[in-house]
Amino acid sequence: RDGDSRGFKPRGEFAPGQDRPRERSEGRSFDKPGFGKPRSERSSDAPRSFKPTPSNGRHEKPAFKKKSDFKEVVAKDPETEKRLAEEAANRRVGRFETAPRYDLSGYDKKPGAKRKQESSEMRLNRYIANAGICSRREADDLIASGQISVNGKVVTEMGHKVETSDVVKFGKKALSREKLVYVLINKPKDYITTTDDPEERKTVLDLIKGACFERIYPVGRLDRNTTGLLLMTNDGELAEKLTHPSNGIKKIYQAELDKPITTEDFELLQAGLELEDGFVKPDELGIVTPDAMVVGLEIHSGKNRIVRRMFEHLGYEVQKLDRTVFAGLDKKDLPRGKWRFLSEKEVVRLKFML
């Protein structure tokens, strides 16, 4: 139910599991549960990196990604270009009609995002990441394996710096700094979080088809039946930052269960659970509805289906799961199934202030 804002009652006001008629209160949400626990109490798990699937199926040598199929289609068929643009416009909300250009060159990566003097030099791995084909870490692998050349010479040195005027190639393909695009989607059910589905099911790219020429990728993932916020971008560096659990990026979910959660199970969940792939503990937990059938939780784990598996471990089935907050971004003015471009202020905060 898009736009639902439900608050959670202090646990002393009712007993979870009590047989009461279900009540839904509008105008409140579990977006700010009160964050008092130290980071040291949070669980750690394996990072989930931002890795576009290479065409050769192997990750040792990431394959060069072409521009989106959309660009190739519209170059041949103006009618298709017009139709796809109209469909994208119908789903888009917010003040930006096209992907804005962000001036991020003068920001320092320190709290407060202080300005620094601009330099035309940058590290080679950053240049490759900015070309939109991989993350910085993957760019280091490309450099080390001798697949990158600068001005005709193969470079394998880590930390090598290039000028904007240098010619950088991946194999025989010249790279250029791609325009960075950031799209926020309020994902509906029945859309797959992938860029290509062999079974030809609906993907999140179908929601934004025609939004931009750049090839953008989902940051993390949401299950097919999970709704809520999903960020898509070609900024591999930011995507890696937002999906690495050591950064403690805030994600808040509302889970509607098949039965009221009991006081005992609530306390077990609050203390943390030992699942088949390790220990996991919510960073914050709260009851959203008086009938104790909707639970809000903040978690930074990137493990697959982690929220659903936590409740399944306690004997509950999650009937609806909605991500209401991701990295400080919320669903305000973003109805279900719609998308918008991020503002420069939002991008600066994500890249330099989190």
Side-chain angles (χ1 to χ4, degrees), residues 155-204:
V155 174
T156 57
E157 172 195 352
M158 293 296 119
H160 183 85
K161 292 189 175 182
V162 294
E163 299 277 351
T164 53
S165 58
D166 289 334
V167 178
V168 179
K169 289 187 177 182
F170 171 38
K172 295 182 179 180
K173 181 70 178 181
L175 303 181
S176 60
R177 296 183 63 185
E178 190 173 50
K179 175 183 176 181
L180 295 179
V181 178
Y182 307 87
V183 170
L184 185 65
I185 301 173
N186 188 346
K187 183 181 111 46
K189 286 181 63 175
D190 297 326
Y191 281 81
I192 309 296
T193 306
T194 183
T195 56
D196 183 39
D197 182 53
E199 300 179 30
E200 298 186 350
R201 294 170 295 182
K202 295 182 292 186
T203 75
V204 289

Side-chain angles (χ1 to χ4, degrees), residues 289-300:
T289 55
D291 59 9
M293 292 185 70
V294 179
V295 179
L297 69 163
E298 178 192 338
I299 194 166
H300 67 275

Side-chain angles (χ1 to χ4, degrees), residues 7-8 29-37 250-253 283-288 296-299 324-325:
F8 65 94
S29 73
F30 181 72
D31 287 358
K32 300 180 72 175
F35 313 117
K37 295 183 175 59
K250 179 172 74 171
K251 293 174 284 187
I252 294 180
Y253 295 86
D283 302 315
E284 297 291 340
L285 191 66
I287 302 293
V288 178
L297 69 163
E298 178 192 338
I299 194 166
T324 61
V325 173

Side-chain angles (χ1 to χ4, degrees), residues 143-311:
I143 296 168
S145 60
Q147 298 185 70
I148 302 296
S149 65
V150 179
N151 298 328
K153 295 182 179 181
V154 174
V155 174
T156 57
E157 172 195 352
M158 293 296 119
H160 183 85
K161 292 189 175 182
V162 294
E163 299 277 351
T164 53
S165 58
D166 289 334
V167 178
V168 179
K169 289 187 177 182
F170 171 38
K172 295 182 179 180
K173 181 70 178 181
L175 303 181
S176 60
R177 296 183 63 185
E178 190 173 50
K179 175 183 176 181
L180 295 179
V181 178
Y182 307 87
V183 170
L184 185 65
I185 301 173
N186 188 346
K187 183 181 111 46
K189 286 181 63 175
D190 297 326
Y191 281 81
I192 309 296
T193 306
T194 183
T195 56
D196 183 39
D197 182 53
E199 300 179 30
E200 298 186 350
R201 294 170 295 182
K202 295 182 292 186
T203 75
V204 289
L205 282 182
D206 293 327
L207 294 169
I208 59 168
K209 189 175 292 183
C212 59
F213 289 118
E214 292 77 12
R215 188 175 181 87
I216 58 178
Y217 302 89
V219 178
R221 61 165 294 162
L222 291 176
D223 294 338
R224 180 177 182 178
N225 291 325
T226 300
T227 60
L229 294 178
L230 181 69
L231 181 65
M232 299 190 68
T233 183
N234 55 351
D235 187 341
E237 180 184 358
L238 176 63
E240 187 168 359
K241 170 186 176 181
L242 294 179
T243 54
H244 200 296
S246 67
N247 292 323
I249 300 301
K250 179 172 74 171
K251 293 174 284 187
I252 294 180
Y253 295 86
Q254 285 190 3
E256 183 174 317
L257 309 179
D258 60 334
K259 56 188 175 183
I261 190 168
T262 65
T263 301
E264 179 183 2
D265 287 338
F266 183 93
E267 292 173 351
L268 285 173
L269 186 59
Q270 203 168 36
L273 303 173
E274 189 68 44
L275 304 182
E276 62 271 15
D277 53 353
F279 182 78
V280 63
K281 178 182 178 182
D283 302 315
E284 297 291 340
L285 191 66
I287 302 293
V288 178
T289 55
D291 59 9
M293 292 185 70
V294 179
V295 179
L297 69 163
E298 178 192 338
I299 194 166
H300 67 275
S301 172
K303 292 180 178 178
N304 188 36
R305 298 184 69 251
I306 188 62
V307 176
R308 293 182 186 274
R309 290 194 292 122
M310 290 168 70
F311 284 106

Side-chain angles (χ1 to χ4, degrees), residues 41-57:
E41 292 186 12
R42 298 185 175 189
S43 62
S44 61
D45 45 65
R48 296 188 59 181
S49 59
F50 178 73
K51 295 183 179 180
T53 303
S55 60
N56 60 8

